[in-house]
Amino acid sequence: MVTGDSSYIKKFNRNIILQRIVEHGSISRADLSKITGLNKATISVQVADLLDSELIYETQQEHTSVGRRPILLSLNQKAGYVLGVDLDYKKIQYTISDLLGNPIMNEDIKFDTDDYHAILQLLIKQINLYKEKCPDSHYGLVGVVIGIHGTVNKDDQSVLFVPKYQWHNKDLKNDLLKEIDLPILIENNANLSTYAERVFYHHDCNNLLTLIISSGMGAGIMIDGELQRGYHGYAGEMGHMIVVPDGESCTCGNKGCWELYSTEPSLFKKIAIHQGQDLSYQKIKQLIKEQDKNTLADIEQFIKYLSIGINNIINIFNPETLVLTSEVLTMYPNAIEKIEMNLHSSVSQYNKIVLSKFHNRSCVMGACALAIQTFLEIPKLTLNPPEEK
Ligand SMILES: [Zn+2]
């Protein structure tokens, strides 16, 4: 097994070197050797291979005070592109990014069906179109990752259940692979959002919890640097935690579930009672600015119930960082301070609660990042916050 072992080690070294190049942006061979502990000959051979494959390129440093100007190595971010997809209810977000996670195209497509086969055809048509439209590059479109607002089997990535569509046991990945010649991965949307927060913003946080309250209630849990999926992939269904005894009836069969009180759709419904019209984020922003009494009371109530659930999940997970993904909280003054004022217990411990900076695009950005990490085959991906084109 000597051959196997040596090729395994080569691959391992290649992946570590590439990971460090991505992480540092640009780095010399000498510094790579220092950081990885690999000798200069190994670095030299691996770097030559990576240059051959056009995954990296060399530049000479512009200014140094004395001595030779070192040659720096960087990832060739335009060597290929990835496609991230967020399959939400009657709306799909698509983002194409380069290999450093910078979006070069965002598109949101709405539709009016919940039929699995119709939506499957929409995905096939659109993904194949993006494959053709992808900018000219050495590798072209290298992978697709699709976020599902439901549970995904952690072993074979089949879709177990999507509540809003009422889909059970759909083999979406293989149905797509019959018509699309690209690597495809399927993952839960909240897991992708959590992964995005870690890749782009919270690089050193290993105990990270993300709550997506912008559509349904989704939670992504990262413990010791690993996403938690549970026995079959059902972990993180916190929206059905009961926070109000004998409260409102939920589609799950219980009463008083958290997501009936603490998601943006539930808040929109309450504000619509006195606004009596179709609401948009823009409209809510305006109502906040005008200090509309009813709207402010609804948001305060929303924050109160949100805090009850947050208190409970902090007690369960003891997160270092809790990220909330919500446009309404982002536009509401002092939202985080108000939530923290409701967390009195000396037992619930966390380091910080922050708002997501992705503006409802954390799932697609996580999808792009996962496609990049899979293509580059690196053990950990660290990127700068995405720059819009
Ligand atoms: Zn429920």
Side-chain angles (χ1 to χ4, degrees):
M1 293 302 283
V2 174
T3 326
D5 283 347
S6 82
S7 75
Y8 171 78
I9 290 167
K10 265 189 198 165
K11 185 93 183 154
F12 182 80
N13 289 343
R14 175 253 185 222
N15 296 350
I16 290 292
I17 290 167
L18 190 54
Q19 174 181 315
R20 294 302 191 176
I21 294 172
V22 175
E23 186 183 322
H24 288 263
S26 55
I27 186 168
S28 68
R29 287 171 175 80
D31 285 344
L32 269 177
S33 176
K34 263 185 232 158
I35 289 171
T36 59
L38 296 168
N39 66 47
K40 284 180 183 168
T42 303
I43 298 280
S44 178
V45 170
Q46 292 287 352
V47 164
D49 281 354
L50 288 167
L51 285 166
D52 267 354
S53 65
E54 296 194 24
L55 276 178
I56 60 170
Y57 65 93
E58 290 180 317
T59 46
Q60 199 146 35
Q61 206 172 29
E62 291 284 330
H63 302 288
T64 52
S65 46
V66 282
R68 280 197 307 163
R69 292 185 299 167
I71 292 172
L72 299 178
L73 305 162
S74 301
L75 182 78
N76 180 7
Q77 68 197 79
K78 309 241 175 275
Y81 295 86
V82 294
L83 175 63
V85 182
D86 178 358
L87 173 53
D88 201 345
Y89 188 60
K90 297 191 176 179
K91 185 179 90 173
I92 306 180
Q93 292 182 341
Y94 297 92
T95 292
I96 295 179
S97 85
D98 65 22
L99 295 180
L100 285 180
N102 297 307
I104 60 155
M105 191 254 4
N106 291 314
E107 192 167 21
D108 293 2
I109 298 182
K110 291 186 174 173
F111 49 87
D112 201 22
T113 175
D114 43 24
D115 178 66
Y116 173 74
H117 291 282
I119 294 169
L120 175 68
Q121 290 310 314
L122 287 176
L123 282 167
I124 291 169
K125 186 179 141 218
Q126 210 58 34
I127 293 169
N128 279 326
L129 193 69
Y130 292 132
K131 191 183 169 193
E132 275 174 36
K133 276 173 40 179
C134 185
D136 250 355
S137 60
H138 190 74
Y139 292 98
L141 196 61
V142 295
V144 184
V145 173
I146 302 175
I148 301 293
H149 293 230
T151 47
V152 177
N153 185 311
K154 66 177 180 177
D155 299 318
D156 64 8
Q157 294 174 26
S158 63
V159 177
L160 295 169
F161 180 46
V162 183
K164 282 185 192 157
Y165 285 117
Q166 285 295 307
W167 293 347
H168 293 268
N169 301 315
K170 299 291 181 194
D171 197 1
L172 178 63
K173 178 174 170 166
N174 285 315
D175 289 341
L176 290 167
L177 284 172
K178 283 175 201 157
E179 304 288 336
I180 299 168
D181 184 23
L182 284 170
I184 295 175
L185 294 175
I186 310 283
E187 178 56 280
N188 167 268
N189 72 311
N191 283 348
L192 287 175
S193 294
T194 306
Y195 175 74
E197 296 293 343
R198 154 98 158 215
V199 167
F200 291 100
Y201 290 103
H202 306 281
H203 297 159
D204 298 320
C205 180
N206 285 326
N207 291 284
L208 180 69
L209 206 59
T210 306
L211 268 190
I212 324 284
I213 47 187
S214 44
S215 56
M217 171 74 76
I221 307 156
M222 181 177 279
I223 297 176
D224 294 334
E226 298 289 332
L227 283 169
Q228 304 297 310
R229 296 177 174 83
Y231 178 41
H232 280 126
Y234 285 90
E237 288 301 313
M238 296 173 194
H240 298 282
M241 172 167 69
I242 296 170
V243 295
V244 180
D246 300 319
E248 295 173 30
S249 294
C250 180
T251 49
C252 76
N254 271 332
K255 284 180 177 177
C257 292
W258 194 25
E259 72 172 29
L260 301 174
Y261 301 87
S262 308
T263 57
E264 288 185 352
S266 71
L267 175 64
F268 273 53
K269 260 189 215 164
K270 276 162 195 148
I271 296 176
I273 292 172
H274 49 86
Q275 283 301 317
Q277 53 180 290
D278 271 351
L279 284 168
S280 62
Y281 285 121
Q282 203 51 40
K283 175 72 183 168
I284 290 184
K285 195 173 186 174
Q286 191 194 330
L287 288 167
I288 293 171
K289 199 175 159 203
E290 289 167 0
Q291 298 273 305
D292 177 73
K293 265 194 183 159
N294 289 324
T295 304
L296 296 187
D298 285 337
I299 297 177
E300 289 292 330
Q301 188 77 345
F302 165 76
I303 286 176
K304 182 182 157 192
Y305 284 118
L306 185 62
S307 307
I308 292 173
I310 286 176
N311 176 79
N312 294 347
I313 61 173
I314 285 175
N315 277 315
I316 298 170
F317 294 106
N318 179 214
E320 181 182 344
T321 303
L322 173 62
V323 183
L324 302 176
T325 297
S326 160
E327 282 301 283
V328 174
L329 292 181
T330 303
M331 57 180 75
Y332 195 64
N334 307 318
I336 296 297
E337 287 81 355
K338 290 192 171 181
I339 290 169
E340 290 191 314
M341 275 165 56
N342 291 323
L343 303 174
H344 308 295
S345 168
S346 58
V347 181
S348 33
Q349 293 296 316
Y350 62 94
N351 184 28
K352 59 181 174 186
I353 301 177
V354 296
L355 288 166
S356 175
K357 294 188 173 120
F358 282 111
H359 296 289
N360 293 345
R361 297 200 80 82
S362 56
C363 173
V364 266
M365 290 313 300
C368 286
L370 184 58
I372 293 168
Q373 186 178 358
T374 307
F375 171 66
L376 298 178
E377 301 180 86
I378 57 181
K380 186 183 171 188
L381 180 65
T382 307
L383 295 171
N384 291 321
E387 289 170 13
E388 293 295 327
K389 188 180 57 167

